[in-house]
Amino acid sequence: MTLSYATIDETRAIVDAFAALSWPAPKSDAVAIGDRLGWTLRLELESGLEYATALSFGRTPASILLDDDHLAQATIHVSSRIDEDDPAQVAELDLAYDDVRSILTGILADPARTRRGSSPKTSWDLSNGGRLAVAHLGFVVAIIVIQERYAAVERAEERRGVSEDEYPGSED
C-alpha cells in the first residue's frame, strides 16, 4: 500500500480558507468553506456538518462541529485511512504525518506547540485567533481547526503548564 495524502496546494487551500475566518464564524461561513473547497455535503445536523472532501487522491471525511450555530471545530482527514494492525501501513502513516507537518510549517512557520508520542499533534496559532493542528489519529492524518475561544483556552493551559498527559487518553 502506498499511503496518499493532501498535496501542498490542497493543504494551503484548507489553511487559507480557515485563516480567513473572523470569529465567531457563523454556520454560513462553514458552508461557504465547504463549497469553496469543492466538498460534498453529506449530512447537516443542528450540531454540525459532515462532508466528503475532494482531495486529489479521493474523497475523505471532513466534519464541522457547531456551537450555538457557529463553527467550533473542523476535522479534515488529509490522508487515506490505514489498517492500524499493519506495521508497514503504520510506518507510512508516520511518514505522512511528518510530511503534512512539514508542509504546514512551510505555510505557517514555526508551530506553537508539539505533542510527541504515539499520537503526535502539532499546532499553529492563526492570525485570526484560531488554531490549526495536524494530528496523527492512529488510522489517518487530520487537520483540525478550532475557533478562537477554544484556542484561547489551549493557550491559557499551555501558559499554566498544563501537560497534555493530564488529559485522559493522551500519551507521551
Side-chain angles (χ1 to χ4, degrees):
M1 169 189 186
T2 300
L3 186 73
S4 300
Y5 52 92
T7 66
I8 293 171
D9 290 340
E10 290 168 333
T11 303
R12 183 180 303 281
I14 292 168
V15 169
D16 290 348
F18 286 97
L21 291 174
S22 295
W23 304 109
K27 178 181 173 181
S28 59
D29 286 358
V31 171
I33 286 173
D35 291 344
R36 186 171 347 151
L37 295 175
W39 298 350
T40 302
L41 183 61
R42 296 284 174 116
L43 183 63
E44 183 173 355
L45 302 169
E46 189 174 315
S47 61
L49 307 165
E50 294 291 329
Y51 286 93
T53 66
L55 298 175
S56 57
F57 62 90
R59 299 175 88 58
T60 64
S63 62
I64 295 178
L65 297 176
L66 300 172
D67 180 7
D68 196 26
D69 217 29
H70 288 82
L71 192 154
Q73 176 177 308
T75 303
I76 305 105
H77 291 196
V78 294
S79 77
S80 50
R81 188 180 179 124
I82 66 156
D83 175 356
E84 296 174 74
D85 296 326
D86 182 335
Q89 289 184 33
V90 171
E92 284 191 51
L93 189 67
D94 292 345
L95 293 173
Y97 169 81
D98 291 341
D99 286 350
V100 174
R101 183 185 188 282
S102 292
I103 290 169
L104 287 167
T105 299
I107 296 168
L108 296 167
D110 292 332
R113 182 175 187 142
T114 298
R115 178 182 73 205
R116 298 191 183 347
S118 61
S119 299
K121 178 180 172 187
T122 303
S123 303
W124 291 263
D125 290 322
L126 299 174
S127 61
N128 65 4
R131 188 170 258 197
L132 183 142
V134 59
H136 185 303
L137 301 181
F139 62 95
V140 71
V141 174
I143 290 178
I144 301 169
V145 181
I146 57 175
Q147 63 156 284
E148 181 178 32
R149 185 169 43 124
Y150 297 172
V153 170
E154 277 192 8
R155 287 187 284 270
E157 289 173 346
E158 290 164 11
R159 282 191 302 277
R160 289 184 179 90
V162 175
S163 172
E164 291 270 344
D165 62 0
E166 293 181 35
Y167 294 101
S170 64
E171 302 173 28
D172 278 14

